[in-house]
């Protein structure tokens, strides 16, 4: 009986030692996988908003800020819609700019409140949201408010955000949108 208890104790001890070694090995590998070179303290987040007025009602303006709608006025805008119609919640599309592909997702598109929210990810560069709120300006026109909230995913992404989304550059970018829409207003009216 003592031999049996001794053998059982040795087997259990062996199992515990092997289990402990495996757990330590797993823990070291698992923790190594969780280490990142770029962490929260390194990331830059920008939050920019700007508005402009359009001479059309909100119901006509909101669709202009969708994957297919921007084709009517934004130079070089060529979305590759992978799912959905470009308007509905859950739609996914891709865009390319220079050597980067950006992945877009319609998080919200509400025609009753004239609100659209898009999630965008450019791997290795940035991730965040683009929000568009279109309100009635009181004279059959619209006030379009556009908000970008993006976080850099790398040092290069931080530099790009700080350059392209500086307060000065962002205001110019949104003003350019108004100019492009107005320059393409006949094409927009023919489409809608």
């Amino acid at each position: 009986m003592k031999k049996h208890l001794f053998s059982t104790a040795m087997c259990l001890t062996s199992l515990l030692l092997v289990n402990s070694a495996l757990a330590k090995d797993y823990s070291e590998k698992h923790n190594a996988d969780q280490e990142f070179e770029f962490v929260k303290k390194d990331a830059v987040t920008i939050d920019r908003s700007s508005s402009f007025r359009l001479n059309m009602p909100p119901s006509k303006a909101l669709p202009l800020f969708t994957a297919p709608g921007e084709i009517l006025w934004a130079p070089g805008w060529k979305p590759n819609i992978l799912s959905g119609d470009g308007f509905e919640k859950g739609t996914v599309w891709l865009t390319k700019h220079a050597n980067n592909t950006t992945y877009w997702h319609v998080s919200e598109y509400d025609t009753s409140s004239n609100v659209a929210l898009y999630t965008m990810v450019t791997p290795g560069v940035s991730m965040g949201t683009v929000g568009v709120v279109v309100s009635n300006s009181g004279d059959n026109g619209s006030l379009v408010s556009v908000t970008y909230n993006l976080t850099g995913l790398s040092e290069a992404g931080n530099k790009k955000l700080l350059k392209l989304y500086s307060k000065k550059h962002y205001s110019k970018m949104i003003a350019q949108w108004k100019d492009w829409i107005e320059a393409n207003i006949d094409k927009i009216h023919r489409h809608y």
Side-chain angles (χ1 to χ4, degrees):
M1 178 82 163
K2 287 185 183 182
K3 274 186 174 180
H4 178 68
L5 288 176
F6 179 74
S7 294
T8 303
M10 289 304 291
C11 286
L12 287 173
T13 302
S14 296
L15 285 172
L16 289 172
L17 288 173
V18 168
N19 189 38
S20 177
L22 290 173
K24 181 180 179 191
D25 184 53
Y26 174 82
S27 178
E28 287 172 359
K29 286 180 183 175
H30 184 71
N31 289 338
D33 290 343
Q34 296 300 314
E35 293 178 18
F36 296 96
E37 292 178 20
F38 191 80
V39 295
K40 184 175 182 177
K41 69 178 179 58
D42 301 321
V44 168
T45 296
I46 59 98
D47 189 6
R48 301 281 183 259
S49 292
S50 192
S51 300
F52 59 93
R53 193 185 169 293
L54 290 176
N55 289 321
M56 63 180 67
S59 62
K60 298 286 186 189
L62 183 64
L64 295 176
F65 305 97
T66 62
E70 288 192 29
I71 293 170
L72 298 172
W73 59 269
W77 180 257
K78 295 177 184 170
N80 176 14
I81 299 174
L82 301 177
S83 72
D85 62 6
F87 297 88
E88 67 187 339
K89 185 176 179 177
T91 292
V92 173
W93 78 89
L94 312 173
T95 56
K96 282 193 177 267
H97 183 72
N99 293 326
N100 294 313
T101 297
T102 299
Y103 300 80
W104 296 83
H105 176 264
V106 179
S107 302
E108 182 178 354
Y109 189 79
D110 185 348
T111 56
S112 63
S113 61
N114 293 309
V115 172
L117 181 66
Y118 305 100
T119 300
M120 62 183 285
V121 180
T122 307
V125 179
S126 63
M127 178 178 181
T129 59
V130 179
V132 179
V133 177
V134 182
S135 56
N136 192 326
S137 64
D139 53 356
N140 205 28
S142 297
L143 180 65
V144 179
S145 298
V146 182
T147 301
Y148 275 69
N149 184 287
L150 301 171
T151 297
L153 301 176
S154 64
E155 284 299 324
N158 284 347
K159 288 178 185 173
K160 189 171 186 175
L161 290 180
L162 292 171
K163 179 181 178 185
L164 295 179
Y165 297 95
S166 68
K167 289 181 182 180
K168 182 178 178 182
H169 189 272
Y170 184 78
S171 294
K172 286 182 181 180
M173 178 181 82
I174 299 302
Q176 182 79 65
W177 288 15
K178 177 182 170 64
D179 293 343
W180 286 335
I181 290 168
E182 289 177 347
N184 289 284
I185 200 70
D186 290 337
K187 179 170 49 170
I188 290 167
H189 286 314
R190 280 193 306 271
H191 185 76
Y192 289 114

